[in-house]
Amino acid sequence: MPARGETFGTLPLRRLHGVAQAMPQPGRHDLGQGGYECVTRPEVVVGGAGADTDPRRCLKGLSPAVAAELEGVELVDPDLVYEGGAEIDLGGRTVLLREVGPAHTRSDQIVLVDGRVLFAGDLLETRIFPIAPYFPPHDTDVDGEGSIGVLDRLAALAPRTVVPGHGEVTDASLIHDVRDYLVYVRDEALRLRERGATADETAATVDENARARRPSWERPEWTGLTARAFYDTGAPV
């Protein structure tokens, strides 16, 4: 697989978490932290640099149920590899692929159709606290400050329709909602750090306050991880 760039119409090795998301009976398989590392940093789990990092082998080791779901899965080489951006003519519709990371991961991309419909993947979720895969010491690719910058650029695109990685299709207001949340977590985490709070204390405080500020949002377990990411990597405010 190429060192950089994403693929169109195929299944990149580093993003095999789509296989888990597409499994029948959603929620039946709990991959947990080990599952996320299998599909985002297989070299860590499987055996280090130069090792065989086929994430299927790693995922199959998590449980017999996962192994059964992956039986017969065949990985296909990319049809199109790009770095930075690519434009595809679909016969009357123009699709722009653009590399925007690091933010949620090292290799985030967005898809923009006719300048109006934005597919943002896990950069955005509707009524769900943003996913922050921050599991030190191994999985620390998430870039909170980078995410804020990416959302600023997405807002400038002014899409009419936004398709998030999770949740309902919506409009550009989602971009602003998620950005405002990340700015709040960043500022609060760094403020508490400056006052001498520990990482655990900061995560707990931000988690409690974020839940109170957005009681209708789901998956609040990501809030503490987001706060820790800003606490560990952010510059003082």
Side-chain angles (χ1 to χ4, degrees):
M1 181 178 174
R4 296 188 64 194
E6 289 285 354
T7 65
F8 176 73
T10 56
L11 186 63
L13 294 182
R14 290 190 70 249
R15 310 306 295 162
L16 192 63
H17 71 280
V19 171
Q21 292 174 339
M23 286 179 179
Q25 302 179 32
R28 196 180 81 193
H29 308 293
D30 182 10
L31 299 182
Q33 178 179 341
Y36 201 95
E37 289 186 345
C38 276
V39 299
T40 60
R41 296 177 65 88
E43 70 279 4
V44 172
V45 182
V46 180
D52 178 1
T53 57
D54 185 341
R56 291 172 300 180
R57 188 167 294 105
C58 179
L59 286 168
K60 286 180 178 180
L62 294 176
S63 75
V66 173
E69 294 289 354
L70 289 171
E71 195 64 39
V73 170
E74 180 181 355
L75 298 181
V76 180
D77 289 336
D79 298 310
L80 169 66
V81 176
Y82 76 89
E83 184 172 339
E87 187 173 300
I88 300 173
D89 184 354
L90 295 181
R93 295 196 181 278
T94 300
V95 176
L96 175 66
L97 309 180
R98 182 178 297 171
E99 185 179 19
V100 296
H104 168 68
T105 69
R106 286 182 295 180
S107 56
D108 299 298
Q109 77 159 3
I110 57 103
V111 179
L112 185 64
V113 181
D114 288 344
R116 300 193 305 269
V117 181
L118 172 67
F119 290 82
D122 281 350
L123 292 166
L124 296 170
E125 289 85 35
T126 306
R127 291 184 300 98
I128 297 173
F129 287 96
I131 298 170
Y134 185 73
F135 304 108
H138 299 308
D139 201 346
T140 58
D141 291 342
V142 64
D143 185 334
E145 199 65 45
S147 296
I148 294 170
V150 167
L151 294 178
D152 284 337
R153 299 200 298 274
L154 297 186
L157 296 174
R160 297 181 185 175
T161 302
V162 173
V163 183
H166 301 271
E168 301 89 349
V169 174
T170 183
D171 56 30
S173 64
L174 177 62
I175 302 173
H176 301 282
D177 288 345
V178 174
R179 182 195 180 279
D180 290 348
Y181 161 80
L182 290 175
V183 168
Y184 163 75
V185 174
R186 178 197 64 188
D187 292 351
E188 189 68 359
L190 299 186
R191 182 185 69 83
L192 291 168
R193 188 183 72 178
E194 286 296 297
R195 294 180 59 182
T198 66
D200 286 344
E201 290 169 342
T202 297
T205 298
V206 172
D207 176 78
E208 180 180 0
N209 292 340
R211 291 172 189 245
R213 289 164 62 95
R214 290 174 170 80
S216 65
W217 284 20
E218 301 174 2
R219 304 299 299 272
E221 62 269 21
W222 290 110
T223 303
L225 295 174
T226 306
R228 287 177 183 274
F230 280 117
Y231 184 98
D232 289 347
T233 63
V237 293

